[in-house]
Amino acid sequence: MKDAIEVCSKPISPLQGGVFVTLLLGGVFALVMTALNEFAMLERIKEGVALVKVRNVVLPLLSMIPAFLVLAWGIVHQVKQTMTVEKQKKGLVFIGSSFPIFLLVWLIYNTQVMGWLESQGYSQCTWYSGASMGAAKVMVSKREFCIKEGYQVRIDLLDWFEAQHQSGQKTTVKQARNKQSELLAKHKARFDLL
């Protein structure tokens, strides 16, 4: 019974606590803003855009917000020196159980959103997509937009697609190939010195 009410012996200073809580809340805010950008990107499908970048890990990460808030709550209790061993154990169990939930949500969401994109006529362009779990998957409305030779200049090419969308212009495959050739010629002139 003594362990249940024992106060943790390592308090943190109010300044440290404030910094940690600010970082956590800033991370939550950044995650929410990124999720809103992800919703906006998925909304473009209705417009029939040539290319979208989908970060299929962002929305499932929202399921981790309660764990971040529990962590902030724990930091506040550490600063106030009211954190008990029992509270700490409960918080750690909650945070630890949030990760498998995130993985399950991510698996379901990834399957659903990729299936939905394919049903809308989009397919993944592996030449432009990132390889890591959090990297954007680039989906194109026509396979011809996925230009293998564009790999070296993919970032510039993706920026060009975004500029085309922002200006309201409908992108054609011929325009994309011409832009890719132009960017690749500049790349070769700059880097192929031998």
Side-chain angles (χ1 to χ4, degrees), residues 27-106:
V28 168
F29 177 75
L31 179 59
V32 169
M33 295 308 292
T34 305
L36 292 175
N37 287 338
E38 189 67 17
F39 281 126
M41 184 63 71
L42 291 174
E43 280 291 315
R44 292 181 181 185
I45 299 299
K46 294 177 184 175
E47 300 169 22
V49 295
L51 178 143
V52 291
K53 293 186 282 188
V54 180
R55 291 178 183 85
N56 58 2
V57 75
V58 172
L59 296 178
L61 267 175
L62 293 175
S63 68
M64 292 294 289
I65 288 178
F68 297 144
L69 296 178
V70 167
L71 189 55
W73 171 84
I75 291 169
V76 169
H77 278 282
Q78 282 288 89
V79 169
K80 293 167 63 177
Q81 297 184 9
T82 58
M83 177 59 78
T84 63
V85 172
E86 188 65 29
K87 286 180 187 176
Q88 193 172 38
K89 285 180 183 176
K90 286 180 182 177
L92 289 173
V93 167
F94 183 84
I95 292 168
S97 63
S98 296
F99 189 69
I101 292 170
F102 156 71
L103 289 176
L104 182 63
V105 169
W106 174 72

Side-chain angles (χ1 to χ4, degrees), residues 56 59 91 116 129 145 158-159 181 187:
N56 58 2
L59 296 178
W116 177 72
S129 297
F145 284 123
L158 291 174
D159 289 343
S181 296
H187 176 78

Side-chain angles (χ1 to χ4, degrees), residues 103-170:
L103 289 176
L104 182 63
V105 169
W106 174 72
L107 180 66
I108 293 168
Y109 176 77
N110 185 44
T111 304
Q112 293 294 317
V113 79
M114 295 310 274
W116 177 72
L117 286 168
E118 288 173 7
S119 73
Q120 299 296 314
Y122 285 80
S123 56
Q124 184 177 354
C125 179
T126 55
W127 298 110
Y128 301 156
S129 297
S132 67
M133 181 176 151
K137 292 184 187 294
V138 176
M139 306 295 287
V140 291
S141 61
K142 297 178 186 171
R143 289 299 304 163
E144 295 83 20
F145 284 123
C146 187
I147 306 166
K148 179 179 177 180
E149 297 79 19
Y151 175 77
Q152 294 100 338
V153 293
R154 70 185 181 282
I155 294 172
D156 293 331
L157 196 56
L158 291 174
D159 289 343
W160 177 79
F161 273 105
E162 181 63 24
Q164 292 291 101
H165 172 72
Q166 294 296 329
S167 67
Q169 295 180 10
K170 200 80 167 160

